[in-house]
Amino acid sequence: MATTENKPLMPKATAVWLVDNTSLSFEQIADFCGLHPLEVKGIADEDVAKGIKGMDPVAAGQLSREQIEAAEKDPSYRLKMAPPKHKMPVIKLKKAPRYTPVSKRQDKPDAVYWLLRNHPEFTDADIIKLIGTTKATIQKIRERSHWNATNIKAVDPVTLGLCSQLELDLAVSRAAVKRERAVKRAAKAGTTLKPLSDMSAAGPQPEPAPGHEAEAPLEESEAADAEAETPEPANENDEA
């Protein structure tokens, strides 16, 4: 059976015209129009599709006279839709925002708070796609400036019925993949900073130039001079 796209747009009206204007068998008409042979027989007996005006598939560019004549001569011949004269561009439909029943919309802040606490790898776009909230609401909940912030508590969105466990698991896996890719790109670009302790430990220490000794800190040299100038206490035997 051919796909729906290869069938006439008005199958019953086309079948009415083919029954009235050709000698095609019921099976041939049914196969071309996507109907059951008994339904085509009912059209021929005027039990089905009463009042429907027949549509000429030749004038509509769906069939050619040659095909009809060949099918009338050979009962095993099957009619096929003629290729369209003009190709219609494929139109991508925008995905509608996620619909949430009115009774569950008040639970969205709790679900957002739960996601912020348990899945910090989620971006605002991930949360919006999963729950159907807004970026402004997410920001207010993150900053605890939401009008109902005192009553917001972390609750699993699956428990609240805002999404399924499968959808949540899929969102978590996608966020993990994005995070891993971002880390790899940062490491490849060399933008990852090393800890300061590692840099000081790994860095080579400069050696003093030949013939020059390293100078001691100022405090240590002054302490050494003061110790040298301090007179030693006199011996009691000398005084005697």
Side-chain angles (χ1 to χ4, degrees), residues 5-10 14 17-18 32 55-68 79-87:
E5 289 76 5
N6 294 328
K7 297 300 178 184
L9 295 177
M10 301 175 66
T14 303
W17 190 92
L18 291 174
F32 176 72
M55 189 189 74
D56 186 356
V58 178
Q62 299 172 346
L63 274 178
S64 62
R65 291 288 181 183
E66 291 75 13
Q67 282 196 77
I68 294 177
L79 301 171
K80 294 181 181 180
M81 288 280 293
K85 296 180 180 179
H86 305 283
K87 289 186 178 181

Side-chain angles (χ1 to χ4, degrees), residues 93-99:
L93 298 177
K94 292 184 178 180
K95 191 174 182 179
R98 188 182 187 91
Y99 174 77

Side-chain angles (χ1 to χ4, degrees), residues 52-179:
I52 294 180
K53 185 179 180 180
M55 189 189 74
D56 186 356
V58 178
Q62 299 172 346
L63 274 178
S64 62
R65 291 288 181 183
E66 291 75 13
Q67 282 196 77
I68 294 177
E69 292 175 358
E72 287 176 335
K73 295 177 181 178
D74 184 6
S76 62
Y77 186 89
R78 291 294 176 259
L79 301 171
K80 294 181 181 180
M81 288 280 293
K85 296 180 180 179
H86 305 283
K87 289 186 178 181
M88 297 297 294
V90 178
I91 301 176
K92 293 184 178 180
L93 298 177
K94 292 184 178 180
K95 191 174 182 179
R98 188 182 187 91
Y99 174 77
T100 304
V102 178
S103 59
K104 294 183 179 180
R105 292 179 186 177
Q106 60 185 0
D107 298 331
K108 286 185 178 182
D110 295 342
V112 172
Y113 187 40
W114 187 90
L115 291 174
L116 292 175
R117 288 184 57 183
N118 294 276
H119 294 286
E121 72 275 9
F122 275 15
T123 62
D124 290 354
D126 295 332
I127 299 176
I128 292 171
K129 185 177 180 181
L130 184 64
I131 297 180
T133 184
T134 62
K135 191 171 184 177
T137 301
I138 298 172
Q139 188 65 22
K140 290 178 181 179
I141 294 174
R142 183 182 284 113
E143 297 174 352
R144 303 298 292 173
S145 60
H146 192 271
W147 66 271
N148 196 27
T150 56
N151 297 323
I152 294 177
K153 54 185 180 298
V155 183
D156 188 350
V158 177
T159 304
L160 295 173
L162 296 174
C163 68
S164 64
Q165 186 64 50
L166 181 61
E167 291 173 334
L168 178 59
D169 294 342
L170 183 60
V172 171
S173 61
R174 286 177 177 173
V177 171
K178 290 181 182 178
R179 187 184 183 92

